[in-house]
């Protein structure tokens, strides 16, 4: 036990402060602005069973059956941007380490927990938060991101009252179908885009999660943030370490926009693979052909895509299966051998032709899944996650493979490694995952360890992803899980981007991309032009150009006018790509607030402004810009097509104070402007 002391974990503008009292107990004094006074004193990382009667951050049943835990500080380690607080139960060799890593310039702090023991037998963990902050007695407003397949990340804000509010997932795989593992929390008053105190939290974890907020009778708001303990009691053996995923927390005293920009900068440098390298424009065949294609069709799409200025072609679902050819979603998953009826010469000729055309080549895979109608399932029915004595519940005609089986992990890695090694032209993989778990049982685990499945599945997935990244570092990875079912910093550690949603109607995508933008930069979002919604080609391109541009259209069916416009749009995007993908984002007008939405990107000497008119015509009110240099003159040009003309006399101060004149806009139309510093 160490002497009483203060611990301050600081970024440039924020701080979490702790105090160790004379008895070794750890207290949190505050979290927020670095210069603000402490807002009371709250138990830090409360343990269950020994006086704490609210939701515990950690709960354990010791080897002798004792259900209480008492944690006292025994050591504090402070290194540059890293902090570790070691706690131990005075009566048991049971230890918990609270770890923090700071990113000062972005006001971001990562927090995670390590638990281990040297007791005589197994200790069962029933709660294990990555972070358990106290947010003080002020009023608080919580924003969650909820939805469903093809309807992701609706933003919903509410004032928190007394009692418990839980945001969680129990789905294990494709865990984010209904709720996303991130939130915003405003303190004192509802934060706006540019004003107010706001926290942002995002769990680096692709499995089941739980964010529990509890307003105590004292008025204090506490939270337990991390993996979902539901159905996941963990039997921890002596001298084994249980490490939680990292909880990423950001703070801003200048509103939600400033918070998001901090997250974007942090993500590009610390969460995304190659986050400083612009992404290429791709043509995907999924919404162009679905399962109905052959080699000739693929080659034709590649050639026409090259003519439009595309830089990569992605071959989607339907290319594999022999006994059970993948002609629909009812069979074939697990049998990753090219379908000779569609691709008689396999994948290699496609890769070779792509190389001749100067295109990169990508491929779709869903390695974690198996169809009951497949050779893999016929040979290994025990490889699927399932419950004994229960009829198999099939979703989307498929089951989830049990990654806790070493032979399954080996099989998945081998099939990916073999596919990429045999076809070195493949430099991009769309990794899909189209169902969640409803019968969480493992034929591999013992009866005592069945509750480990949810947590250890995600750990096993990361093990495979890490091996793939190490073996094939040149191959880019898109995370797709029926769209937005796996959008988190845990999976993005191994990926370059994510597929936001299978909803590609640009009118809805404006909302979806707006929601994700609170935590993820534009470079991480795959945004494709499609026919969905039957919007104008310009509107579809403009929305997709505000992220990483791609197309998902049968370009052979475009008329001459559409082909000409598409070439022009692709060329225009190449001109602004670095600004969008590497620039600083400012959200201008929320689609939730009116008929118009706007977003701005600033990078080096260039600025790009996107304006979208949604469900009804918008008036002629000007759009106030942000993030410009007040005393700099900007040359303004409208893209696709020119409409505003050119101004050489517009000061940044005028554009921010008086706004940009975009004129009246009809419903589902858009305008894009490029501003160059003069």
């Amino acid at each position: 036990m160490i002497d009483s002391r203060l611990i301050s974990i600081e970024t440039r503008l924020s701080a979490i402060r702790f105090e160790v009292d004379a008895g070794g107990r750890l207290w949190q004094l505050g979290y927020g602005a670095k210069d603000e006074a402490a807002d009371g004193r709250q138990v830090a990382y409360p343990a269950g069973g020994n006086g704490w009667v609210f939701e515990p951050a950690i709960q354990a049943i010791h080897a002798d059956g004792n259900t209480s835990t008492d944690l006292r500080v025994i050591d504090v380690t402070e290194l540059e941007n890293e902090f570790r607080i070691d706690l131990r139960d005075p009566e048991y060799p049971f230890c918990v380490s609270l770890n923090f890593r700071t990113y000062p310039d972005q006001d971001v702090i990562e927090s995670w927990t390590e638990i281990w023991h040297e007791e005589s037998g197994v200790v069962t963990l029933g709660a294990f938060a990555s972070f358990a902050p106290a947010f003080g007695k002020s009023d608080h407003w919580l924003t969650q991101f909820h939805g469903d397949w093809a309807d992701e990340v609706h933003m919903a804000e509410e004032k928190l009252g007394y009692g418990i509010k839980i945001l969680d997932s129990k789905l294990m795989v494709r865990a984010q179908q209904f709720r996303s593992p991130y939130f915003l929390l405003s303190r004192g008053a509802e934060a706006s885009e540019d004003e107010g105190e706001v926290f942002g939290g995002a769990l680096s974890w692709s499995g089941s999660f739980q964010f529990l907020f509890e307003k105590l009778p004292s008025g204090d708001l506490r939270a337990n943030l991390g993996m979902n303990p539901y159905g996941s009691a963990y039997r921890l053996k002596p001298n084994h370490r249980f490490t939680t995923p990292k909880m990423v927390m950001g703070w801003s005293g200048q509103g939600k926009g400033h918070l998001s920009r901090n997250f974007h900068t942090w993500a590009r440098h610390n969460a995304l693979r190659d986050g400083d390298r612009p992404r290429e424009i791709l043509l995907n065949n999924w919404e162009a052909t679905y399962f109905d294609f052959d080699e000739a069709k693929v080659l034709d799409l590649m050639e026409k895509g090259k003519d439009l200025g595309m830089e990569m072609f992605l071959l989607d679902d339907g290319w594999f299966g022999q006994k059970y050819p993948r002609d629909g979603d009812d069979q074939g998953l697990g049998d990753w051998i090219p379908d000779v009826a569609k691709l008689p010469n396999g994948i290699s000729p496609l890769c070779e032709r792509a190389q001749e055309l100067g295109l990169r080549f990508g491929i779709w895979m869903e390695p974690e899944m198996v169809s009951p109608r497949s050779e893999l399932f016929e040979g290994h029915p025990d490889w699927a996650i399932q419950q004994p004595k229960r009829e198999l519940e099939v979703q989307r005609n498929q089951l989830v493979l049990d990654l806790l089986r070493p032979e399954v992990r080996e099989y998945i890695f081998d099939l990916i490694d073999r596919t990429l090694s045999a076809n070195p032209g493949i430099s991009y993989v769309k990794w899909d995952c189209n169902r969640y778990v409803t019968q969480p049982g493992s034929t591999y685990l013992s009866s005592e360890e069945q509750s480990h499945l949810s947590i250890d599945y995600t750990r096993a997935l990361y093990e495979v992803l890490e091996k793939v990244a190490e073996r094939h570092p040149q191959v880019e990875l898109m995370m797709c899980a029926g769209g937005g079912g796996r959008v988190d910093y845990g999976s993005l550690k191994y990926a370059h981007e994510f597929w936001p949603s299978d909803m590609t109607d640009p009118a809805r995508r404006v909302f979806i991309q707006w929601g994700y933008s609170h935590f993820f930069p534009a470079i991480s979002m795959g945004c494709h032009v499609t026919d969905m919604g039957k919007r104008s080609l310009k509107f579809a391109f403009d929305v997709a150009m505000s992220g990483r541009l791609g197309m998902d259209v049968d370009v052979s069916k475009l008329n001459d006018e559409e082909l000409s416009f598409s070439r022009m749009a692709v060329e225009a995007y190449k001109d602004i790509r670095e600004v969008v993908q590497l620039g600083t984002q400012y959200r201008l007008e929320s689609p939730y607030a009116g008929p118009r939405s706007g977003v701005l990107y600033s990078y080096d000497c260039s600025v790009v402004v996107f304006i979208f008119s949604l469900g009804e015509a918008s008036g002629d009110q000007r759009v106030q810009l942000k993030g410009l240099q007040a005393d700099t003159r900007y040359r303004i040009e409208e893209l696709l097509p020119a409409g505003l003309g050119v101004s050489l006399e517009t000061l940044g101060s005028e554009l921010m104070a008086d706004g940009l004149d975009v004129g009246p806009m009809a419903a589902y139309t858009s305008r894009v402007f490029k501003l160059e510093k003069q």
Side-chain angles (χ1 to χ4, degrees):
M1 190 179 300
I2 66 173
D3 295 332
S4 60
R5 62 175 294 182
L6 296 176
I7 304 166
S8 187
I9 299 171
E10 299 181 354
T11 64
R12 185 170 64 91
L13 297 175
S14 70
I16 305 173
R17 292 189 175 87
F18 297 100
E19 179 185 38
V20 184
D21 69 15
R25 294 177 179 84
L26 185 67
W27 303 85
Q28 183 186 323
L29 301 183
Y31 179 21
K34 188 160 62 174
D35 58 357
E36 75 177 4
D39 183 13
R41 189 171 83 155
Q42 281 286 314
V43 175
Y45 208 76
N50 190 39
W52 182 257
V53 296
F54 304 104
E55 288 293 319
I58 184 168
Q59 189 271 326
I61 302 175
H62 298 277
D64 64 2
N66 191 330
T67 60
S68 67
T69 298
D70 183 13
L71 296 176
R72 308 295 178 94
V73 177
I74 58 172
D75 195 16
V76 176
T77 304
E78 298 185 25
L79 303 173
E80 184 179 7
N81 299 333
E82 292 194 13
F83 300 80
R84 179 186 179 100
I85 304 173
D86 292 313
L87 305 102
R88 181 185 172 104
D89 192 310
E91 301 298 330
Y92 291 90
F94 179 84
C95 303
V96 175
S97 292
L98 306 182
N99 298 272
F100 302 89
R101 181 178 294 125
T102 63
Y103 299 85
D105 291 342
Q106 290 83 51
D107 291 310
V108 167
I109 298 174
E110 288 181 320
S111 175
W112 70 98
T113 306
E114 294 175 271
I115 306 167
W116 75 100
H117 71 92
E118 297 176 349
E119 298 188 26
S120 59
V122 168
V123 171
T124 302
L125 303 178
F128 26 72
S130 294
F131 189 34
F135 293 104
K137 288 184 169 65
S138 300
D139 291 336
H140 297 86
W141 284 260
L142 175 68
T143 301
Q144 63 169 294
F145 300 79
H146 68 92
D148 202 341
W149 172 76
D151 193 28
E152 289 84 354
V153 292
H154 288 270
M155 296 178 64
E157 186 174 34
E158 63 183 295
K159 185 177 180 180
L160 291 177
Y162 285 90
I164 292 175
K165 174 73 176 183
I166 293 177
L167 309 179
D168 77 341
S169 165
K170 303 179 180 70
L171 304 181
M172 196 176 109
V173 178
R174 201 183 184 280
Q176 301 160 33
Q177 178 159 338
F178 305 124
R179 296 182 189 89
S180 300
Y182 18 93
F183 67 88
L184 302 173
L185 185 71
S186 301
R187 182 163 67 183
E190 295 178 80
S192 67
E193 189 67 21
D194 301 305
E195 295 181 341
E197 183 180 23
V198 60
F199 300 86
L203 186 65
S204 298
W205 185 245
S206 306
S208 301
F209 64 90
Q210 184 186 85
F211 299 153
L212 184 149
F213 301 88
E214 185 170 17
K215 190 168 185 179
L216 306 182
S218 63
D220 290 281
L221 180 68
R222 299 193 54 92
N224 293 328
L225 312 171
M227 296 181 293
N228 198 333
Y230 172 81
S232 297
Y234 206 92
R235 292 170 53 83
L236 186 62
K237 298 176 182 178
N239 298 308
H240 284 62
R241 284 187 179 256
F242 181 93
T243 303
T244 71
K246 293 179 174 63
M247 189 69 203
V248 185
M249 293 294 300
W251 175 88
S252 169
Q254 303 171 52
K256 299 174 183 177
H258 181 256
L259 177 75
S260 296
R261 289 187 285 278
N262 283 343
F263 270 118
H264 295 174
T265 303
W266 174 85
R268 280 195 296 266
H269 290 93
N270 301 286
L272 283 173
R273 287 178 61 189
D274 301 322
D276 58 350
R277 190 190 75 197
R279 311 300 195 226
E280 290 161 315
I281 307 168
L282 66 83
L283 176 65
N284 188 8
N285 73 298
W286 177 241
E287 292 192 37
T289 66
Y290 295 102
F291 297 100
D292 185 17
F293 62 86
D294 56 18
E295 182 180 279
K297 180 63 176 179
V298 172
L299 292 172
D300 181 62
L301 288 172
M302 289 168 56
E303 291 165 1
K304 287 183 168 59
K306 176 62 177 179
D307 180 63
L308 292 180
M310 295 294 162
E311 299 161 320
M312 179 162 54
F313 180 82
L314 171 61
L315 179 62
D316 215 289
D317 194 358
W319 59 268
F320 53 91
Q322 293 189 345
K323 181 179 179 181
Y324 300 102
R326 185 73 168 171
D327 295 327
D329 68 3
D330 59 341
Q331 61 184 30
L333 284 177
D335 301 342
W336 300 97
I337 300 172
D339 177 0
V340 294
K342 294 177 182 175
L343 305 176
N345 302 303
I347 300 295
S348 293
L350 303 179
C351 296
E352 292 166 4
R353 181 55 180 153
Q355 187 173 17
E356 292 171 0
L357 291 168
L359 294 172
R360 293 174 56 201
F361 189 82
I363 199 164
W364 178 94
M365 303 186 80
E366 194 173 5
E368 301 161 72
M369 302 291 160
V370 63
S371 301
R373 284 175 55 84
S374 68
E375 294 182 73
L376 179 65
F377 187 75
E378 288 178 346
H380 303 283
D382 56 331
W383 281 16
I385 289 175
Q386 57 194 277
Q387 291 283 16
K389 301 180 182 179
R390 308 297 180 198
E391 182 180 353
L392 277 175
E393 182 174 278
V394 178
Q395 287 188 355
R396 199 178 179 266
N397 303 302
Q398 62 193 64
L399 300 165
V400 184
L401 291 173
D402 185 356
L403 269 63
L404 272 62
R405 284 184 167 274
E407 61 269 33
V408 171
R409 295 197 298 278
E410 182 179 354
Y411 161 79
I412 291 175
F413 173 74
D414 181 65
L415 81 87
I416 298 169
D417 182 45
R418 184 176 64 250
T419 301
L420 297 179
S421 298
N423 304 283
I426 298 175
S427 60
Y428 184 95
V429 173
K430 179 181 177 181
W431 185 301
D432 215 337
C433 172
N434 278 297
R435 71 154 292 179
Y436 49 80
V437 172
T438 55
Q439 295 174 308
S442 170
T443 59
Y444 174 76
L445 292 174
S446 68
S447 58
E448 293 83 6
E449 295 179 324
Q450 287 296 314
S451 58
H452 291 196
L453 179 61
S454 180
I455 291 173
D456 286 348
Y457 180 96
T458 304
R459 291 173 172 172
L461 171 65
Y462 291 164
E463 178 185 320
V464 174
L465 289 171
E466 186 168 8
K467 286 181 65 178
V468 171
E470 290 175 351
R471 183 70 63 89
H472 302 279
Q474 80 285 359
V475 176
E476 290 186 21
L477 189 64
M478 171 199 270
M479 278 296 160
C480 178
R486 186 178 276 167
V487 181
D488 58 83
Y489 290 133
S491 64
L492 288 177
K493 176 182 178 181
Y494 309 100
H496 295 74
E497 65 180 12
F498 62 88
W499 181 237
S501 176
D502 283 347
M503 170 55 67
T504 55
D505 179 349
R508 176 71 185 106
R509 266 301 186 103
V510 169
F511 288 85
I512 291 171
Q513 292 166 209
W514 180 274
Y516 283 125
S517 75
H518 286 77
F519 293 92
F520 303 100
I523 192 174
S524 65
M525 297 186 210
C527 304
H528 292 183
V529 175
T530 77
D531 294 329
M532 192 177 292
K534 304 301 179 184
R535 313 298 177 184
S536 72
L537 196 56
K538 172 176 167 52
F539 186 68
F541 260 108
D542 286 350
V543 173
M545 286 167 58
S546 63
R548 195 274 296 139
L549 176 64
M551 286 189 78
D552 217 321
V553 173
D554 188 345
V555 293
S556 68
K557 296 180 180 179
L558 298 179
N559 60 36
D560 289 345
E561 182 180 354
E562 292 168 332
L563 288 169
S564 176
F565 182 86
S566 297
R567 290 190 196 97
M568 181 174 61
V570 169
E571 191 62 30
Y573 184 74
K574 291 177 181 178
D575 181 52
I576 63 172
R577 170 170 29 201
E578 286 194 351
V579 183
V580 173
Q581 296 187 11
L582 303 180
T584 302
Q585 184 194 71
Y586 292 84
R587 292 187 294 266
L588 304 178
E589 295 183 358
S590 170
Y592 289 90
R596 199 171 65 180
S597 179
V599 63
L600 176 154
Y601 298 92
S602 176
Y603 181 72
D604 198 11
C605 294
S606 299
V607 173
V608 179
V609 181
F610 295 87
I611 307 297
F612 309 112
S613 184
L614 299 172
E616 58 187 80
S618 57
D620 59 358
Q621 63 270 31
R622 292 171 173 259
V623 177
Q624 283 190 291
L625 305 190
K626 303 175 184 178
L628 306 182
Q629 294 182 4
D631 58 353
T632 297
R633 294 185 182 276
Y634 289 87
R635 177 178 180 270
I636 304 171
E637 175 187 3
E638 183 169 9
L639 305 179
L640 302 176
L644 180 69
V646 173
S647 171
L648 300 178
E649 301 296 331
T650 308
L651 284 169
S653 57
E654 295 174 1
L655 290 168
M656 290 188 290
D658 301 329
L660 176 66
D661 184 7
V662 300
M665 297 174 64
Y668 303 120
T669 61
S670 52
R671 302 185 76 174
V672 181
F673 303 94
K674 183 179 180 182
L675 286 64
E676 291 283 0
K677 295 179 182 178
Q678 298 302 295

